[in-house]
Amino acid sequence: MAMTPDEFYEHALAATDDAHRLPLARMTGWEISPFEQEGLRVTPLRPPVVPEPPRHGEDPAECGSCGRRDEGIWFNERWRLTRVKEVGVPLVLMLHPREHYDMADLPDELAAELGVLNTHLVRHIQALPHISRAHVYRIGDGGAHLHIWFFARPEGQTQMYGSWLPVWDDLLPEYPANLADADAEQVAEDLIKSAGGTRTAAGATGAPTA
């Protein structure tokens, strides 16, 4: 059984200094870290908040993703794909179920489709010129409606390997929107060919195929 919130907090406090600051993470010493360790310090550890505040969209009636179920660059009856704008890496896409589900309550049929769509999207993103890797993330702390992130890592930028890529994305200047739009359109067209679907919500039919 996991520690209680208070037990976990006390456990973590044992490793802090007098200001409740933990030591720098080992990750900050990696050569791919966007930060130099000198002058860097950790935010003081705060006590637990229980119960946790609700996430956005816990109530489907107030869920922004549900309200945008017909917005995106690709659709089928159950899923939609959007491009996240104003990012620093070449392309960030987000996959959403059109109905209100989180990961834990996703029906098995949709869970199977999610696995297929994840694979197809990674395949198509990595097929774009000058893209080396497609990173896939599911966090879930901010929004209750399932959303899967796809980050395209630019070719040759080995300093942006691994788990630091979203941080680099936040530091980089905004990537040219016209280039990102063109690549997003290419991914959407390739996804239609490989997994079905359509470019408009009104015409969304068919299920993903393996």
Side-chain angles (χ1 to χ4, degrees), residues 6 10 35 44 100-101 117-118 127 132 150 164 172 178 193:
D6 287 337
E10 292 300 323
F35 307 110
H100 192 78
Y101 293 110
L117 288 172
N118 282 351
S132 285
F150 297 83
W164 280 116
L172 290 164
N178 62 319
K193 294 175 184 176

Side-chain angles (χ1 to χ4, degrees), residues 1-200:
M1 179 182 296
M3 295 178 182
T4 67
D6 287 337
E7 288 171 341
F8 182 86
Y9 181 59
E10 292 300 323
H11 167 75
L13 277 184
T16 66
D17 60 17
D18 293 341
H20 289 182
R21 298 182 191 276
L22 289 159
L24 290 177
R26 291 184 296 277
M27 292 172 60
T28 60
W30 296 354
E31 63 179 7
I32 60 173
S33 171
F35 307 110
E36 296 179 350
Q37 286 187 313
E38 184 178 356
L40 193 65
R41 66 178 186 173
V42 179
T43 299
L45 189 64
R46 295 189 289 267
V49 176
V50 180
E52 294 187 4
R55 299 173 297 172
H56 172 76
E58 295 284 8
D59 180 355
E62 299 177 354
C63 175
S65 186
C66 288
R68 296 187 294 272
R69 71 185 310 274
D70 292 336
E71 296 179 14
I73 61 172
W74 172 92
F75 303 86
N76 70 15
E77 292 175 344
R78 293 164 294 280
W79 299 91
R80 67 187 181 99
L81 184 69
T82 60
R83 179 174 89 76
V84 180
K85 299 183 178 181
E86 299 179 358
V87 298
V89 297
L91 186 63
V92 177
L93 300 178
M94 187 177 287
L95 183 66
H96 325 244
R98 297 181 72 191
E99 300 299 326
H100 192 78
Y101 293 110
D102 199 354
M103 179 72 84
D105 54 21
L106 200 65
D108 286 351
E109 180 184 5
L110 269 69
E113 291 179 357
L114 175 60
V116 172
L117 288 172
N118 282 351
T119 299
H120 283 236
L121 282 166
V122 167
R123 185 179 300 157
H124 300 324
I125 293 169
Q126 291 184 173
L128 294 170
H130 310 304
I131 299 300
S132 285
R133 209 80 61 223
H135 292 200
V136 183
Y137 306 97
R138 182 265 172 179
I139 311 299
D141 280 333
H145 193 120
L146 176 62
H147 49 292
I148 309 294
W149 300 80
F150 297 83
F151 278 67
R153 181 175 66 74
E155 182 181 18
Q157 294 297 331
T158 57
Q159 193 176 8
M160 298 179 189
Y161 274 177
S163 51
W164 280 116
L165 183 61
V167 180
W168 279 109
D169 170 69
D170 202 39
L171 295 168
L172 290 164
E174 184 179 345
Y175 194 80
N178 62 319
L179 300 181
D181 283 337
D183 280 344
E185 289 175 7
Q186 183 63 59
V187 170
E189 292 295 337
D190 290 343
L191 190 58
I192 290 171
K193 294 175 184 176
S194 70
T198 181
R199 294 299 302 274
T200 63

